[in-house]
Amino acid sequence: MKFLTLLEVGNLGGLIVMIIIIFLLVALFISFIITMIVKVSYEWKGDKKFSKKQFWQTMLISLLLCGLVSGAICGGGL
């Protein structure tokens, strides 16, 4: 009996979409944790305030870095 590989089964679009969504959720979670660490360290002394704009900019930058790392690992660059 011949075993079927994943590509021979067909109609795996839903599986691919689920994998992409899982990657996005994990990257968002990691970016949120990194942003919260940056926020706590920025406001440590109490004299500075971390604004919403700074929060979203930090979140976006860390999300882009997570995407870069993920692309390098999954793409075979490392």
Side-chain angles (χ1 to χ4, degrees):
M1 177 179 208
K2 185 179 176 184
F3 291 104
L4 293 175
T5 63
L6 204 59
L7 294 175
E8 291 174 334
V9 175
N11 287 334
L12 294 174
L15 179 67
I16 301 300
V17 169
M18 280 195 321
I19 291 171
I20 291 171
I21 289 173
I22 289 171
F23 278 165
L24 283 173
L25 290 176
V26 169
L28 279 171
F29 180 72
I30 291 171
S31 296
F32 181 74
I33 289 177
I34 291 171
T35 304
M36 293 309 293
I37 291 171
V38 169
K39 179 181 178 180
V40 166
S41 67
Y42 187 78
E43 294 179 345
W44 188 258
K45 301 258 184 201
D47 55 347
K48 295 185 264 184
K49 182 76 173 136
F50 202 70
S51 67
K52 271 190 176 180
K53 183 179 178 184
Q54 288 173 320
F55 179 83
W56 288 112
Q57 284 177 343
T58 308
M59 184 86 168
L60 180 67
I61 289 170
S62 63
L63 188 61
L64 288 171
L65 288 174
C66 283
L68 253 171
V69 170
S70 171
I73 292 172
C74 294
L78 292 179

